[in-house]
Amino acid sequence: PNRTFVGSVIQVRNAPTTVNNVVTYDTVIGVTNSDYSLKPGMTASVSVIVAQHDDVLLVPNGSLRFQPPETALVETNASAAVDAQNGGTNRSATAGGHTGHRGNHPPGGRAAEHTVYVLIKGTANQPDRLKAVSVKTGITDNINTEVLSGLKEDDQIVTGLAIPGLADNQGSSNPFAPRHRF
């Protein structure tokens, strides 16, 4: 269970199987199996890498979905403000890999634009604030997304807000955890 096997997609069969409204296609992967540890009929978890970029700036996908509350102090520039009014993202037709490519755009296609929020530390006289920044994004692994332009490596991006005292007033932050009444 802890071994990794490297292979290549040899064939995707065009005979779909549907189980519980999930459509799957059998795929044949060529892999070296010199010690015969892989047996016919075994099930495996597979990651198919369709694009890979090394030494790039990444942001967590949560930062691309983050929307600050209306009461937050937010600085904007013109393009980030328009993007934020549109829900924070401009999705291309191929988002989610509809053409078989993984990422926000097909290889060689146009980069997607998103708005992320950078934390600007305040001073003694001024509170911390958020700055809306328009970024162009590249490929994603559904956890992190490549940033092509708009951010620097040391920028502190925001993925969520913690409201002081809220957790103390509400008890456990897990809604499924048992609540103790005194």
Side-chain angles (χ1 to χ4, degrees):
N2 295 326
R3 285 187 60 190
T4 299
F5 296 88
V6 178
S8 298
V9 174
I10 302 223
Q11 183 183 81
V12 178
R13 297 195 174 143
N14 288 326
T17 304
T18 304
V19 177
N20 293 329
N21 290 328
V22 176
V23 179
T24 60
Y25 292 87
D26 286 342
T27 303
V28 178
I29 306 219
V31 62
T32 302
N33 189 23
S34 57
D35 63 352
Y36 300 105
S37 55
L38 297 174
K39 307 288 186 214
M42 291 179 85
T43 302
S45 296
V46 178
S47 296
V48 178
I49 300 169
V50 296
Q52 181 172 333
H53 296 166
D54 295 322
D55 203 22
V56 297
L57 182 62
L58 298 174
V59 294
N61 285 355
S63 67
L64 302 174
R65 293 185 299 269
F66 173 75
Q67 289 293 308
E70 292 180 17
T71 58
L73 295 174
V74 179
E75 291 181 19
T76 61
N77 62 27
S79 62
V82 169
D83 194 25
Q85 289 172 357
N86 292 329
T89 59
N90 291 326
R91 299 184 193 278
S92 67
T94 59
H98 295 296
T99 62
H101 298 291
R102 188 162 189 179
N104 291 336
H105 59 91
R110 196 174 133 251
E113 289 192 26
H114 297 273
T115 297
V116 297
Y117 293 86
V118 175
L119 178 65
I120 306 295
K121 287 290 190 181
T123 61
N125 306 353
Q126 206 173 14
D128 293 349
R129 61 193 185 283
L130 302 177
K131 181 178 181 184
V133 177
S134 181
V135 296
K136 291 190 184 209
T137 58
I139 61 175
T140 183
D141 62 2
N142 293 326
I143 297 169
N144 295 301
T145 297
E146 173 188 24
V147 175
L148 301 173
S149 66
L151 290 176
K152 299 183 304 291
E153 187 172 345
D154 58 347
D155 285 340
Q156 292 185 348
I157 58 166
V158 179
T159 58
L161 293 177
I163 300 172
L166 184 61
D168 298 336
N169 297 334
Q170 299 295 324
S172 173
S173 61
N174 180 350
F176 301 107
R179 299 207 184 253
H180 299 288
R181 301 197 192 274
F182 297 102

